[in-house]
């Protein structure tokens, strides 16, 4: 039961890492506590936004370019289409963080984009009813990734390359060898040895990696799907994904895909932080009312009957950037935190980064200094 690399957590990032490692000829074991895919973590709910003019930090844009290329490689390897590009909208007030940050990223990296007013967005995309003076960046390469289908595709590609994947097998603990070159992983079904270990356990990361206690903090998130009164206005071709900073908070949304409703959510929904094991998964009337109030104001043609309400989890770092790094005490262990609610789009390239960190000398050609555990912004918090 000896492998080159064990990957713990076969969700968005872990499935991508398993494929990237297996396609390099490594003997890979992937361990997943739940089903593949499953609805217990952060990757369910059909779709995830992908967008290039990254307001959060322009340093993400080179990673995004590689992410797009690797999503297409995955499609070619599996015959599954997982990346759909119909455009994205990022905006808010003119001097706000979202609009100015997206504009800066677009200009710095020479991204094709248009600067629009809310009135122009409404005219082009009548499903929207934005304030006329809102400022918005339209980027034609934005769109969405089919998140659960992408996990299945990554797992199938990993298996085809020789990886061994176990679902419904919970990791109970791991030990690092003192020489820095091996690990032992114990599960509820067995004991496995490997040269390297990659931890991509989502909201359970801090349970498996004590250095992330107080750094990777789970938060309850809720998404709504509402049936549009005018369905033709909410198709992927007519309704670009959005990331909007409005009076009520920052919201994101999608056209109708699979579920017969327009999908949207509020970042950091109701600010409910709790351990993953204690996460409240039921959705209540207050959750629905908060989301409907937003739709009533900005998407009045999309406020028909509720089609679905689903809870998932963000896992937030203090500065809301990712953590991609080696364990500070055990260099043979690689850590990848969930990504504060904006990381799924990067899963394809994060898989490549994790494969780099877990092989050879542990270096990567990707610039991830701003995502390392030791950065000042990653200092722990108590919430």
């Amino acid at each position: 039961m000896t492998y080159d690399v064990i990957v713990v957590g076969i969700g968005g990032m872990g499935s991508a890492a398993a494929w990237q490692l297996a396609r390099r000829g490594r003997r890979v074991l992937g361990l997943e506590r739940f089903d593949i895919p499953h609805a217990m973590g952060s990757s369910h709910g059909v779709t995830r936004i992908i967008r290039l003019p990254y307001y959060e930090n322009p340093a993400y844009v080179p990673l995004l370019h590689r992410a797009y290329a690797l999503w297409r490689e995955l499609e070619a390897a599996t015959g599954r289409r997982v990346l759909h590009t119909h455009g994205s909208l990022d905006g808010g007030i003119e001097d706000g963080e979202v609009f100015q940050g997206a504009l800066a990223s677009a200009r710095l990296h020479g991204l094709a984009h248009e600067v629009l007013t809310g009135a122009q967005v409404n005219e082009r995309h009548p499903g929207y009813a934005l304030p006329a003076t809102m400022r918005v960046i339209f980027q034609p390469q934005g769109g969405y990734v089919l998140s659960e289908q992408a996990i299945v595709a990554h797992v199938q590609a990993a298996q085809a390359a020789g990886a061994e994947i176990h679902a419904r097998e919970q990791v109970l603990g791991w030990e690092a060898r003192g020489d820095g070159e091996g690990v032992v992983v114990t599960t509820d079904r067995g004991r496995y040895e490997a040269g390297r270990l990659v931890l991509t356990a989502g909201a359970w990361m801090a349970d498996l990696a004590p250095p992330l206690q107080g750094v990777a903090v789970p938060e309850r998130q809720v998404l709504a799907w509402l049936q549009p009164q005018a369905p033709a206005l909410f198709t992927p071709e007519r309704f670009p994904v959005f990331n909007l900073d409005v009076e009520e908070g920052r919201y994101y949304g999608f056209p109708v895909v699979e579920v017969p409703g327009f999908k949207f959510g509020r970042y950091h929904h109701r600010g409910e932080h709790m351990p993953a094991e204690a996460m409240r998964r039921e959705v209540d009337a207050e959750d629905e009312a908060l989301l409907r109030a937003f739709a009533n104001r900005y998407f009045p043609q999309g406020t028909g009957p509720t089609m679905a309400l689903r809870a998932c989890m963000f896992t937030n770092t203090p500065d809301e950037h990712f953590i991609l790094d080696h364990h500070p005490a055990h260099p043979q262990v690689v850590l990848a935190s969930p990504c504060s609610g904006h990381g799924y789009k990067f899963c394809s390239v994060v898989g490549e980064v994790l494969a780099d960190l877990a092989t050879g000398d542990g270096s990567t050609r990707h610039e991830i200094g701003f995502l390392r555990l030791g950065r000042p912004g990653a200092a722990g918090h108590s919430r």
Side-chain angles (χ1 to χ4, degrees):
M1 308 292 277
T2 300
Y3 302 85
D4 294 323
V5 186
I6 295 173
V7 180
V8 176
I10 306 299
M13 291 183 178
S15 62
W19 180 45
Q20 291 295 339
L21 288 160
R23 73 193 300 209
R24 299 181 190 192
R26 299 310 196 272
R27 292 170 297 164
V28 178
L29 171 64
L31 298 171
E32 170 54 54
R33 175 181 177 180
F34 303 110
D35 293 341
I36 298 175
H38 63 79
M40 300 299 290
S42 303
S43 297
H44 58 287
V46 184
T47 49
R48 292 294 183 276
I49 287 175
I50 189 165
R51 51 189 171 87
L52 273 171
Y54 225 63
Y55 93 88
E56 291 89 338
N57 189 329
Y60 283 104
V61 176
L63 290 172
L64 279 164
H65 282 303
R66 182 60 178 158
Y68 273 80
L70 287 169
W71 287 124
R72 294 305 187 199
E73 283 188 26
L74 178 66
E75 291 177 329
T78 63
R80 285 177 174 267
R81 187 180 178 197
V82 297
L83 172 61
H84 297 254
T85 53
H86 299 287
S88 61
L89 298 171
D90 294 86
I93 60 174
E94 184 163 8
D95 60 353
E97 180 183 15
V98 172
F99 174 74
Q100 289 297 331
L103 181 61
S105 276
R107 288 174 172 172
L108 178 64
H109 292 283
L111 304 176
H113 69 283
E114 292 181 78
V115 178
L116 303 174
T117 64
Q120 289 171 317
V121 171
N122 301 341
E123 183 177 358
R124 290 188 187 187
H125 307 288
Y128 284 78
L130 303 182
T133 57
M134 181 179 281
R135 302 287 277 171
V136 180
I137 302 296
F138 173 78
Q139 211 284 319
Q141 291 173 274
Y144 56 87
V145 177
L146 297 174
S147 54
E148 289 143 310
Q149 290 190 33
I151 291 171
V152 173
H154 270 134
V155 169
Q156 290 178 330
Q159 290 170 328
E164 184 178 335
I165 308 294
H166 298 185
R168 290 187 169 263
E169 184 165 356
Q170 183 176 357
V171 170
L172 304 178
W174 59 271
E175 297 178 11
R177 291 179 179 155
D179 58 8
E181 287 298 327
V183 295
V184 177
V185 176
T186 304
T187 77
D188 57 1
R189 296 194 181 194
R191 182 176 180 273
Y192 309 95
E193 297 182 8
R196 308 285 176 90
L197 174 64
V198 176
L199 295 176
T200 52
W204 290 265
M205 275 298 291
D207 298 333
L208 291 174
L212 297 186
Q213 290 285 346
V215 176
V217 178
E219 178 184 32
R220 181 175 177 269
Q221 182 70 11
V222 174
L223 294 161
W225 285 257
L226 305 183
Q227 179 186 345
Q229 293 95 322
L233 302 183
F234 291 82
T235 64
E237 295 76 17
R238 299 192 67 186
F239 191 88
V241 299
F242 66 81
N243 169 45
L244 298 174
D245 191 10
V246 295
E247 288 181 28
E248 296 85 352
R250 187 158 69 90
Y251 288 75
Y252 56 101
F254 305 77
V256 175
V257 180
E258 292 192 13
V259 177
F262 138 63
K263 173 189 171 184
F264 63 99
R266 181 180 190 263
Y267 278 96
H268 306 304
H269 189 59
R270 288 163 60 185
E272 299 172 279
H273 302 91
M274 59 197 78
E277 288 296 319
M279 192 62 58
R280 184 167 66 87
R281 300 183 182 277
E282 300 79 12
V283 178
D284 59 32
E286 187 175 345
D287 295 318
E288 183 174 10
L290 183 155
L291 295 169
R292 275 195 170 274
F294 166 79
N296 288 337
R297 181 171 182 183
Y298 300 103
F299 299 93
Q301 295 300 309
T303 58
T306 299
M307 296 291 99
L309 293 166
R310 298 178 188 174
C312 68
M313 287 186 280
F314 285 2
T315 305
N316 304 312
T317 63
D319 60 7
E320 299 196 358
H321 297 305
F322 314 163
I323 292 172
L324 304 176
D325 210 342
H326 294 97
H327 191 292
H330 306 293
Q332 70 269 51
V333 179
V334 177
L335 307 177
S337 80
C339 299
S340 302
H342 66 103
Y344 192 98
K345 62 184 74 66
F346 293 91
C347 285
S348 59
V349 67
V350 166
E352 185 171 71
V353 170
L354 298 179
D356 291 344
L357 297 180
T359 56
D361 65 359
S363 63
T364 179
R365 66 183 175 88
H366 296 290
E367 177 47 59
I368 60 167
F370 72 112
L371 304 176
R372 296 282 189 177
L373 179 58
R375 67 182 185 270
H381 49 52
S382 60
R383 67 182 184 180

